[in-house]
Amino acid sequence: MPLNQWLLFYVPTTLLAILVIGLFLGVTIGSLFLVRRFIPFHQLKTHNDVAGFIFSTIGVIYAVLLAFMVIVSWQNFARADRNVAQEAICIEDLYRDSTGFPPVFKNAVRLALRNYASAIVNDEWTTLAVGKRSEKVQAASDIIWDLYTSFLPENESQAIFFEQSVVKLNEAAELRRERILAAGPGIPPILWVVLLSGGLITILFTIFFGTENFVAQLIMSSMLSTLVALSLFTIMTLDFPFTGSVTISTDTFRTVLVHFKL
């Protein structure tokens, strides 16, 4: 399990956000006091014009990178949410389409589908939080596949329902694989190195500006540090849509289970 996923799993989200912000603020404030202790502000002030142009370039580059990663993370989160909803719809369609089969097969399929959806809600959502699939759900899926592979349609009507059901079954299996992948390793480590390094460079660059009002510079640098920390925390949270407090819920599958009982 990646470190950021481990933190999301074991540390409450609010506390983790406070720790991330506190870490960035600590580095910013500590560095600012350290620089001011050894370099007077009037010496730093002589480089403000040149530093301003360089900081603008750094800020734009990092802002574009940060915004891009936030958007990508949100899109991946939203896509995983849509896939979960579509997977639940496929399971519900299979349950409904079983009406066209003989009573014995229909009842067996419906029981298997109920067990499958229940295992997803009660077991797989827990294993997804650590980036793994559920063996219980896999076993329930195998039972459904065994039922369909052993069934022989007796007439044209059953053949139509069977064909459509197999299509839905394959679609549901594909969506489950995508759901498991979405719970996986997340953003590659090299990108996190770039994001963290860029954030620290952007923040630490501000401490080399010389201002007579030290408190004003401290506040401005702290606000920038907080903004960067919140952005990185947002990326980390959205990167794992099934881990932490900000996650995709099981509501769609719970609704399917309610419909199964009607």
Side-chain angles (χ1 to χ4, degrees):
M1 190 191 321
L3 176 61
N4 43 352
Q5 188 175 24
W6 185 91
L7 290 172
L8 285 170
F9 184 75
Y10 288 104
V11 182
T13 303
T14 302
L15 176 59
L16 184 58
I18 293 173
L19 291 175
V20 172
I21 295 172
L23 176 63
F24 274 79
L25 284 176
V27 171
T28 302
I29 295 172
S31 299
L32 188 56
F33 272 100
L34 185 64
V35 169
R36 281 302 184 92
R37 181 176 180 178
F38 294 100
I39 307 176
F41 82 91
H42 59 80
Q43 292 185 15
L44 296 171
K45 188 176 181 179
T46 59
H47 305 291
N48 281 356
D49 293 338
V50 176
F53 286 111
I54 299 175
F55 180 72
S56 297
T57 303
I58 292 174
V60 169
I61 293 173
Y62 187 66
V64 171
L65 175 63
L66 203 59
F68 175 76
M69 292 308 303
V70 169
I71 292 172
V72 169
S73 298
W74 169 245
Q75 288 177 339
N76 290 339
F77 187 96
R79 182 167 58 252
D81 192 19
R82 288 194 302 270
N83 288 343
V84 167
Q86 188 61 39
E87 182 184 0
I89 291 172
C90 286
I91 301 302
E92 190 169 10
D93 288 344
L94 285 168
Y95 190 89
R96 181 197 60 203
D97 291 346
S98 65
T99 306
F101 299 124
V104 174
F105 181 73
K106 179 186 72 173
N107 293 335
V109 166
R110 288 190 169 186
L111 176 61
L113 289 172
R114 281 196 295 268
N115 292 338
Y116 178 76
S118 180
I120 289 176
V121 171
N122 298 318
D123 190 67
E124 188 151 62
W125 236 252
T126 302
T127 60
L128 287 176
V130 294
K132 298 179 180 179
R133 71 174 187 173
S134 165
E135 294 303 326
K136 290 183 179 180
V137 174
Q138 186 60 46
S141 175
D142 291 341
I143 291 174
I144 297 173
W145 277 105
D146 290 342
L147 285 171
Y148 276 94
T149 54
S150 62
F151 177 73
L152 293 175
E154 299 174 355
N155 52 52
E156 185 178 352
S157 176
Q158 291 181 14
I160 293 173
F161 276 103
F162 181 78
E163 181 181 356
Q164 293 300 316
S165 295
V166 170
V167 171
K168 288 292 182 181
L169 194 58
N170 279 298
E171 185 178 353
E174 180 64 28
L175 290 168
R176 179 176 178 244
R177 284 192 290 269
E178 291 184 13
R179 171 162 55 81
I180 294 171
L181 288 174
I187 295 174
I190 184 62
L191 282 179
W192 275 114
V193 171
V194 174
L195 287 170
L196 291 172
S197 300
L200 289 175
I201 291 172
T202 303
I203 293 168
L204 295 179
F205 204 95
T206 63
I207 69 177
F208 292 101
F209 283 92
T211 59
E212 295 184 22
N213 191 332
F214 176 75
V215 175
Q217 184 175 0
L218 181 64
I219 292 174
M220 289 186 291
S221 297
S222 297
M223 287 191 295
L224 175 62
S225 179
T226 301
L227 180 60
V228 171
L230 285 173
S231 299
L232 292 175
F233 178 74
T234 300
I235 294 171
M236 181 173 67
T237 302
L238 295 177
D239 194 31
F240 297 98
F242 301 99
T243 308
S245 300
V246 183
T247 58
I248 298 171
S249 72
T250 59
D251 289 348
T252 51
F253 280 101
R254 292 184 185 277
T255 301
V256 167
L257 283 172
V258 171
H259 291 168
F260 286 176
K261 296 176 182 178
L262 295 178

